[in-house]
Amino acid sequence: MSVVELRGAVALLGRFPALAGIDLSVEAGETVLIQGPNGAGKTTLLRLCAGLLRPTAGDVVVLGHDLTTERRAVRRRVALLGHSTGLYGDLTVAENISFWARAAGLSGADAESRAATAAGLMGLDQRLLSRTVNVLSAGQRRRTSIAALAVRRPELWLLDEPHAGLDQAGRNAVDSLISEAVGAGATVLVSSHELERVRSLSPRVVTVAAGMVVADSSSGDSATEGDGEQGGGPGA
Amino acid sequence: MGSRGVGQVRELFTDARLVATRDLRIEARSRVLLNQVAPFALLVLVLFGFALDADQRTLRTFAPGLFWVTVLLAALLAVQRSASIEHADDAHTGLRLSGMAAASVFLGKAAAVFVQLIVLEILLTVGIVVLYGSEVDDPALLALTAVAAAVGVATTGTLYGALASGLGARETLLPILLLPVLAPVLIGATRSFDDALGAAAVDGWAWLGLLAVFGLVATVLGALAHGAMIED
């Protein structure tokens, strides 16, 4: 069953077509590496799949919902790790993770239990949990952000440069998280420039350039090597 | 209302309480209200005193209007702060993805601003008594007016705060958008305070009714419209 199905999807950022008729199909339980140059449309593709953008043209079906009309139905079932952390600087790490667990509809003990599990997975010890986010390093914030997403146990992970800013332990934690998520049946789309690292997790590589899929290793395309620096569109 | 409807209403208010508690916790920790907004408001009261030549009779007469102009100016800071909490590190995207109803977010954020405005109004009431020599003739009318006006300002401010944030220029745009819409609150609350402080012979309770209606309409409209404001 396809978790993500895009047919000729177009998404505009202002007047610019950040996605210019993209075709992509991702099956349940797959891990897909999205690669491409800066501005190719990778981030926009992830935001579109999260239901944050409305497709201007084409068909976009995620988790069985048409995103032209049912974007909100998808949102609670996906997790999007963007460039920002999405954290509240004046709250502690524990308070942030707990808030996002409760915001996802979890109640009391369940929220706290999942928060503790997610924090442990990302290597956030008791000392860090009691600190306010404002005083954390960029890498610690990134770990907190990922833990706050993990509490939701989403069906579809959309990870934009998940290893950025992390030390080796943090990178390993992200890899473990992806493996665990896929093991639990989730689907993962990862946009990354760390090709070798992500390729060990993902046998499928999709190359995006100028808002289009220009190569897909699952279809036997060969143009999946390198970072596709031949050109990019205006999309982020 | 069926059991599903009851469940949805319960979830609405549970989520709203979650958001309000979070915003108030952030405020308690950052102390922006106590260290910045409240001193600013008290400073404005003092400056009005200087501008009117410290004539106590004049100050007593105009105290209701000066009080509410000060509240609205300080409310701009509180509303901007409330909106910036969500946009500082793109947390509002997380809220959109959380599946939480936009009405819950609106009610929670408005409730947090409301609490801060009540604290501010208490401080300013003490301020006009001490600085302007105002006397409270009708404490009940004074208190109810403060509550009703705070509801109107908090709900309208939260809605317009989200609108201005969406337009990407909240610091400069918010006052232009919000202050004209709050003119009925300024007029109604001033008239009502005229009565409560014995500054003028008007029927303050009738003006309180206007404030209550404004607050109710703003709350309902805000809850319905907030979703559209926070979407791209």
Side-chain angles (χ1 to χ4, degrees):
Chain A
M1 189 190 88
S2 287
V3 169
V4 175
E5 191 74 42
L6 280 70
R7 290 279 170 262
V10 175
L12 300 179
L13 290 182
R15 294 179 179 179
F16 298 106
L19 299 180
I22 207 163
D23 295 318
L24 180 67
S25 181
V26 180
E27 300 297 312
E30 262 195 295
T31 302
V32 179
L33 167 61
I34 312 288
Q35 69 162 8
N38 293 333
K42 303 185 296 294
T43 298
T44 306
L45 172 61
L46 297 181
R47 289 177 67 84
L48 179 71
C49 291
L52 291 173
L53 299 174
R54 191 189 301 278
T56 312
D59 297 323
V60 180
V61 178
V62 175
L63 294 164
H65 294 279
D66 183 344
L67 293 195
T68 310
T69 55
E70 302 176 302
R71 287 190 295 159
R72 291 184 187 183
V74 166
R75 290 178 179 172
R76 197 165 231 173
R77 299 166 64 188
V78 307
L80 172 67
L81 177 69
H83 296 160
S84 305
T85 63
L87 301 173
Y88 298 102
D90 288 308
L91 296 184
T92 65
V93 169
E95 287 166 346
N96 265 286
I97 298 173
S98 176
F99 172 78
W100 287 113
R102 289 167 192 268
L106 300 171
S107 58
D110 198 17
E112 297 311 319
S113 163
R114 281 211 206 172
T117 304
L121 193 63
M122 290 310 298
L124 299 166
D125 59 28
Q126 204 58 44
R127 186 178 54 90
L128 279 177
L129 286 172
S130 59
R131 285 194 187 172
T132 55
V133 166
N134 275 338
V135 302
L136 299 182
S137 70
Q140 289 167 334
R141 290 182 195 204
R142 192 72 168 166
R143 287 188 193 210
T144 305
S145 180
I146 295 170
L149 292 176
V151 290
R152 297 166 55 186
R153 295 184 184 163
E155 295 166 63
L156 175 61
W157 282 87
L158 303 163
L159 303 172
D160 198 355
E161 299 288 352
H163 301 99
L166 293 177
D167 57 16
Q168 193 57 43
R171 291 168 181 225
N172 292 340
V174 169
D175 293 348
S176 298
L177 180 81
I178 293 173
S179 297
E180 279 197 22
V182 172
T187 308
V188 182
L189 269 65
V190 188
S191 163
S192 180
H193 291 285
E194 300 205 27
L195 305 184
E196 291 313 314
R197 179 163 209 110
V198 181
R199 271 180 185 161
S200 66
L201 301 164
S202 163
R204 183 177 174 195
V205 181
V206 170
T207 305
V208 178
M212 311 264 290
V213 171
V214 295
D216 185 340
S217 64
S218 71
S219 60
D221 290 336
S222 59
T224 56
E225 297 301 320
D227 204 16
E229 293 290 351
Q230 67 271 24
Chain B
M1 188 183 290
S3 60
R4 189 175 170 209
V6 171
Q8 286 176 333
V9 170
R10 187 177 296 144
E11 185 178 318
L12 181 81
F13 285 105
T14 300
D15 287 346
R17 192 175 61 186
L18 177 69
V19 172
T21 305
R22 181 210 60 194
D23 276 13
L24 290 173
R25 181 173 288 160
I26 289 171
E27 171 49 37
R29 207 158 280 162
S30 64
R31 296 175 184 256
V32 170
L33 178 77
L34 289 180
N35 292 344
Q36 296 171 32
V37 180
F40 166 75
L42 290 171
L43 188 62
V44 171
L45 276 191
V46 172
L47 289 176
F48 277 140
F50 291 153
L52 295 171
D53 211 15
D55 175 359
Q56 282 244 322
R57 180 185 286 179
T58 306
L59 287 173
R60 269 200 303 275
T61 302
F62 292 109
L66 300 180
F67 178 96
W68 285 106
V69 167
T70 306
V71 167
L72 292 193
L73 293 177
L76 286 174
L77 300 181
V79 167
Q80 281 175 341
R81 166 69 178 160
S82 174
S84 72
I85 286 172
E86 306 301 343
H87 287 80
D89 205 0
D90 202 25
H92 77 296
T93 296
L95 280 180
R96 290 168 66 196
L97 288 172
S98 72
M100 192 184 278
S104 296
V105 178
F106 169 79
L107 291 173
K109 293 196 74 65
V113 173
F114 169 81
V115 170
Q116 293 174 59
L117 288 178
I118 291 294
V119 171
L120 199 62
E121 287 172 356
I122 291 170
L123 288 174
L124 289 176
T125 302
V126 174
I128 59 170
V129 169
V130 172
L131 296 173
Y132 298 173
S134 295
E135 293 174 0
V136 181
D137 283 359
D138 190 339
L141 179 60
L142 188 91
L144 289 173
T145 299
V147 169
V151 169
V153 173
T155 51
T156 310
T158 301
L159 183 65
Y160 278 76
L163 173 65
S165 296
L167 295 173
R170 57 184 174 275
E171 286 83 5
T172 48
L173 199 57
L174 182 65
I176 297 168
L177 291 175
L178 183 58
L179 291 178
V181 180
L182 289 178
V185 175
L186 175 66
I187 295 167
T190 299
R191 295 291 171 271
S192 191
F193 260 42
D194 276 340
D195 189 0
L197 296 175
V202 292
D203 181 5
W205 292 95
W207 287 101
L208 175 59
L210 172 80
L211 289 173
V213 170
F214 184 97
L216 184 65
V217 171
T219 303
V220 173
L221 283 182
L224 294 174
H226 194 250
M229 299 298 170
I230 60 177
E231 288 293 334
D232 283 341

